[in-house]
Amino acid sequence: MSSLDTAVRVHGHHIAGERVDGPLLERRAPASNRVVARYAAGTADDVDAAACAAARAFASAEWRRTPAMARAGLLENLAALLEHDADRLAALDSEEVGKPLAFARGDIELGIAHVRQAAALARTSKGEAYTGLAPAYTALATREPVGVAALIIPWNFPALVLLQKLPYALAAGCAVVVKPSEFTSGSALEIAARCEDAGFPPGVVNVVTGTGPGAGLPMVTHPLVSYVSFTGSTRVGREVMRAAADSLTRVGLELGGKTGNVVFADADLEAAADGIVFAAFANQGESCVASSRLLVDETVADDFTAAVAARASALRVGMPDDPRADIGALIHHEHRDRVHAAVLAGVDAGGKVLTGGSPPDDPELAEGAFYRPTVIASVDRESPVFQKEVFGPVLSVTTFGTDREAVELANATEYGLAQSLWTRDLDRAFAVSGELRAGTVWVNTASDGSPALAFGGVKASGFGREGGEEGMREFTEYKTVQFRGEPRVSPFAGAESAR
C-alpha cells in the first residue's frame, strides 16, 4: 500500500493515553497472505485497566464539566486530524480488510462526516421545560451521558463503524472502551491517538485489542460499563445480550441482514441493475446491508437478470491497491471457504449459477482469499442462500407475480435491517415501503445514507440506532428534575389537624 511501509506493525493496547503491551496476535493481509501486523491479545485484566481508566476520566472534572460547546470543538479538531491522516487510515483498512483502496477512502470520508455531524449535535443539544404541569410546578427534562460505553467493532468497516459510534458517545459526554476486530485493529488505534491530539483527556478513549472471548466478553460483563454498542453477527449479538443480562447492562445491537431488492416491471431497469450490482458487491458483499436478494417481477425477470449477471461478470477482482479493482479479497481464507460452501448449498437447493461461483483463476491472486461476484438464479424462499446471511459477493434471484407476493418474499427471512424497492409508481412506492419490515427502506436506491439519518434494524437484525440524533441518544439517559414553588398539599387524612 502506498501510504504504509513494508515492515510488520507491532501494536499494544491504548489505555489512559499510554501503550500497554502484551502477548501478540498475528494478522495476515487477506489479499497477499503476508504478515502485516501483530496486535496485543487482550485479557480481562487489560479490559479492567481500560474500563477503570474510562471511569476515572468520566468522573474527572476535566471531562465531566466540559461544556457541550467545548466537546463540539474537540470533535471538529478530531475531524481535521482525521482528514489530514485520511490516506493512511484508508491504507490500513484496505490492507487489513482486503477491500479496494478507493472504497476504503470512501469509508474514511463518511466516517469524518459522522464526526462533524456529532459535533453539530453537541453544539445544538438542549433539554425541555414543562411549565404547565400544575400551579407553581415546573420540570426540566435533560439527557445525561450514560457513563462508560463499550464499543465493539466488526472487521468489514473498521474505521467507519467506529466513527458511527465514537463521536456520538463523545458528543454525549461519555468515556469509552473500544474492542476492534482482531483482524482489523489498526485504524482504531490510530483514531484513539488522534483523539488525544485533538484535546480529549487521556482515558476518555481507550482501545483493547484481541479476540471476542479474550477481550470482548470481559468488556460486556465489566461492572463499570454502563452501555454496550455492538456491531456484528446475529449469533454473537445474542451472546452479547445473554452476557449483559445478569448486570442489566443496556445494549445496542446492529446485527446481520438479508436485504431484499424488489424490482417492479415499471422501474427504470437500467438504473435498478446498476444500483443492485453496486449494493450487492461493494465491499465484496461483506456488509450487513449488502443487497443479497434480488426479487424481480416475473414479466421482466429473464432480461433483467441477464443484465445484472452481465454487470456482475464485468466487475474486476484484484489486489486492494490496484486502482482498476472493483472487488478485493474476503477477510480470510476460512471465510472464503464458507462463502463457497453457501453457493454450493444454493445450487444443491435448485439454484443455477449464472456467473461466478468460484475463486478467480488469476495466478497473481492465488495467495489471497478472493471470490468472484456470483449470481444464482431460480432460488426459492426455502433455499439456504435465500434465508442465510452469506456475507460475501453472492446475489440470489427470485421472481414474483404480484405486489403482495413481492412483500411476502422480502419479509420472509428473520432479518430486518434494510430493504429496497424500485418503481416509477409513487403510490406503489408508498404502499410497499410501508409493508416492508426493516429499519431502512430505500426507494430507487440501495446502500445509501447520510450521517443525519439514524441506522439500525428490527427482528434478528437487532435494535438501537447509530448516527444522527437518535444515535447520540443511545449514549444518554433521560432524566427529569422537578420543582415546586409552594408546599405540596398532603393527601393523608388527618395531616392538617396533626400539623
Side-chain angles (χ1 to χ4, degrees), residues 126-290:
K126 58 186 182 302
E128 297 174 306
Y130 293 81
T131 57
L133 302 177
Y137 181 28
T138 298
L140 302 178
T142 63
R143 286 194 171 271
E144 297 185 346
V146 71
V148 175
L151 314 180
I152 301 179
I153 311 300
W155 48 257
N156 55 336
F157 296 99
L160 176 55
V161 174
L162 177 58
L163 294 175
Q164 287 177 181
K165 301 175 188 284
L166 175 64
Y168 299 98
L170 298 176
C174 294
V176 303
V177 289
V178 179
K179 210 295 282 183
S181 168
E182 65 269 30
F183 302 124
T184 56
S185 298
S187 56
L189 291 164
E190 297 264 352
I191 290 168
R194 296 294 81 73
C195 286
E196 279 143 33
D197 294 341
F200 290 95
V204 170
V205 179
N206 308 274
V207 178
V208 177
T209 57
T211 66
L217 180 61
M219 203 171 281
V220 172
T221 58
H222 197 283
L224 293 176
V225 170
S226 300
Y227 175 68
V228 176
S229 179
F230 170 84
T231 298
S233 70
T234 296
R235 177 186 63 81
V236 179
R238 291 186 173 108
E239 294 176 6
V240 168
M241 277 196 72
R242 283 191 287 267
D246 285 345
S247 58
L248 296 179
T249 301
R250 279 178 50 200
V251 297
L253 303 175
E254 197 276 278
L255 306 176
K258 195 68 179 173
T259 299
N261 294 267
V262 180
V263 179
F264 294 98
D266 68 345
D268 180 336
L269 297 179
E270 289 293 315
D274 288 340
I276 288 166
V277 168
F278 167 74
F281 300 115
N283 209 64
Q284 301 75 246
E286 294 172 316
S287 170
C288 53
V289 294

Side-chain angles (χ1 to χ4, degrees), residues 5-11 26-27 34-38:
D5 58 41
T6 57
V8 175
R9 301 181 295 277
V10 180
H11 301 275
E26 186 175 88
R27 177 55 180 152
R34 179 177 64 86
V35 176
V36 293
R38 293 186 176 93

Side-chain angles (χ1 to χ4, degrees), residues 277 280-282 284-285 308-318 326-328 330 339 343 353-360 370-376 392-395:
V277 168
F281 300 115
Q284 301 75 246
V308 167
R311 285 165 169 80
S313 65
L315 296 175
R316 181 181 177 87
V317 179
D326 302 302
I327 306 292
L330 300 183
V339 169
V343 170
V353 173
L354 302 183
T355 187
S358 65
F370 294 93
Y371 202 80
R372 295 163 59 208
T374 299
V375 178
I376 307 177
V394 178
L395 174 66

